[in-house]
Amino acid sequence: MDALYPRLLVRDFPASVAFYQAVLRELLDVEPVKVLPGYANWDIEGQAGLVLFGRDRLAAAVGTADLPQAAQDAAQDTAMLVMKVDDVDAAAACLARHGATVAAPPQDRPDWAPTLRTAHLRDPEGNLIELQSY
């Protein structure tokens, strides 16, 4: 089960996919599980190992897409921790009780995947966390 894994939020999605595809192939003999516009993932031994996601897509989700370019460079995230949970709403409430702040409340994301539900929160250090169920 892909319970916890890193997701890199990239500006140049095609270049990033080409880089990680070559590196992971050569170093770990791993091929991508899927490559879609703005999304690519690699599994290692049946577990999510790495996911790339277009930074612009996530910036729209957490409200930083319309900032001026200099502010985008400073404010937009480059990585996040993704947690697969059974209940996004309950997990978001749990993180908030422990000091996380909500960046995007729980919501269905059919434009990302048919049954996907997510919430985006920031830990006390400001690191972005995505809670997801599907």
Side-chain angles (χ1 to χ4, degrees):
M1 176 166 82
D2 302 333
L4 190 64
Y5 60 90
R7 180 176 291 172
L8 300 180
L9 308 172
V10 299
R11 277 196 188 103
D12 188 340
F13 184 79
S16 295
V17 169
F19 173 81
Y20 282 103
Q21 191 167 13
V23 167
L24 294 174
R25 178 182 294 137
E26 187 171 329
L27 294 178
L28 301 175
D29 195 29
V30 174
E31 296 294 329
V33 173
K34 87 176 65 159
V35 177
L36 303 170
Y39 178 89
N41 73 291
W42 290 259
D43 285 357
I44 300 169
E45 297 179 9
Q47 298 284 325
L50 175 67
V51 174
L52 301 180
F53 199 77
R55 185 186 280 189
D56 56 337
R57 294 180 74 196
L58 192 67
V62 299
T64 60
D66 295 328
L67 296 173
Q69 187 61 51
Q72 285 184 29
D73 292 342
Q76 287 183 352
D77 300 281
T78 59
M80 74 176 164
L81 188 61
V82 177
M83 292 185 204
K84 184 177 180 195
V85 297
D86 291 331
D87 184 333
V88 169
D89 298 73
C94 174
L95 269 68
R97 274 195 317 275
H98 290 282
T101 57
V102 176
Q107 58 195 283
D108 296 331
R109 299 239 183 237
D111 54 322
W112 291 7
T115 61
L116 182 64
R117 184 166 180 77
T118 68
H120 293 89
L121 297 97
R122 294 191 183 281
D123 71 12
E125 288 289 319
N127 297 302
L128 189 61
I129 299 169
E130 178 178 283
L131 303 172
Q132 61 174 228
S133 66
Y134 49 92

